[in-house]
Amino acid sequence: MRDQLDIDHLVYHSVSGAGQQYGILTYSEDWVQHYIDEGYARIDPVVQGCLRRFRPTDWKELDWSGRQARGFLGEAMAAGVGNQGFSVPIRGPGGQFALFTISSRTHDAQWDKFVNGASNEVLLAAHFLNQKAQEIVQGDQPAGEQPLSAREIDVLTLLALGMNRAQAADSLEISEHTLRSYVESARVKLGAINTTHAVARAVSGGLVLL
């Protein structure tokens, strides 16, 4: 995935509500061990900043002004981490928190162009990887969870693309009443509070690809 995106590094790191940690990454083993030994998660602006955020974050938005943060950044860059980065915070069931990060050594203009063009792909990759990691750790599917049907996915996809219910029903050649039934069924399966929430969960979970 790192090579496909043409970046320097990619990191996925998850912490369960019980404190269990696991991850996969492309940093050097020496840097990873040094990071752990020094307890850098306590001062890393990426980790600390994303713990308080819910949306994808470019590293330039974070606070690097402190002496410890600047020292940490210098060490990270010397280890080849890169001066540019983009991180996606992910929150899962049972208090799980994960962070999906890409980084590169490049100038601002080139990085901004890359992020603008690839942010959706990175977001979907982050949630897909998290979903697969959860399946490995917890089993394929929690008891009682039901997959969305093909038609439910079709309906949510059209709504995610900005269609209203009438337009989506017309596109699928079904009645609005039937469409509402699919929306409600998908909402219940996704544990969403309304249609907008259901669409957001479907997109973030990689069930709907835009």
Side-chain angles (χ1 to χ4, degrees), residues 11-76:
V11 177
Y12 169 79
H13 178 222
S14 174
V15 183
S16 72
Q20 178 189 17
Q21 299 189 48
Y22 55 91
I24 186 167
L25 50 126
T26 61
Y27 294 153
S28 71
E29 291 185 11
D30 288 344
W31 169 244
V32 173
Q33 192 60 53
H34 180 64
Y35 186 101
I36 293 171
D37 290 344
E38 296 296 326
Y40 277 156
R42 296 178 292 103
I43 63 171
D44 185 345
V46 177
V47 173
Q48 295 303 316
C50 287
L51 279 170
R52 298 187 293 271
R53 294 168 180 245
F54 291 86
R55 60 179 179 82
T57 301
D58 191 296
W59 288 2
K60 290 192 288 292
E61 301 173 27
L62 300 170
D63 182 8
W64 299 89
S65 61
R67 181 179 60 82
Q68 285 186 315
R70 291 196 304 271
F72 165 76
L73 179 61
E75 288 193 47

Side-chain angles (χ1 to χ4, degrees), residues 184 186-202:
E184 179 61 16
R187 183 192 68 76
V188 171
K189 289 180 179 180
L190 292 168
I193 58 176
N194 54 35
T195 301
T196 301
H197 191 204
V199 171
R201 284 202 161 185

Side-chain angles (χ1 to χ4, degrees), residues 151 154-155 158-159 163-180 182-183:
R151 185 43 60 97
D154 290 342
V155 168
L158 294 179
L159 295 177
M163 291 188 183
N164 60 37
R165 292 190 178 192
Q167 291 169 327
D170 184 61
S171 177
L172 295 172
E173 299 182 347
I174 59 177
S175 69
E176 285 191 52
H177 175 75
T178 300
L179 183 135
R180 283 195 296 271
Y182 285 125
V183 170

Side-chain angles (χ1 to χ4, degrees), residues 57-138:
T57 301
D58 191 296
W59 288 2
K60 290 192 288 292
E61 301 173 27
L62 300 170
D63 182 8
W64 299 89
S65 61
R67 181 179 60 82
Q68 285 186 315
R70 291 196 304 271
F72 165 76
L73 179 61
E75 288 193 47
M77 290 179 63
V81 171
N83 59 312
Q84 307 282 3
F86 185 80
S87 297
V88 181
I90 305 166
R91 287 166 175 80
Q96 182 231 4
F97 175 77
L99 200 57
F100 180 88
T101 291
I102 58 173
S103 64
S104 187
R105 289 169 287 185
T106 186
H107 55 76
D108 285 353
Q110 185 175 350
W111 181 252
D112 291 344
K113 182 179 179 180
F114 167 78
V115 170
N116 288 335
S119 58
N120 286 340
E121 180 181 357
V122 171
L123 180 61
L124 289 172
H127 286 280
F128 178 80
L129 184 57
N130 186 65
Q131 178 184 349
K132 292 304 176 183
Q134 290 295 297
E135 290 175 3
I136 292 171
V137 173
Q138 300 176 0

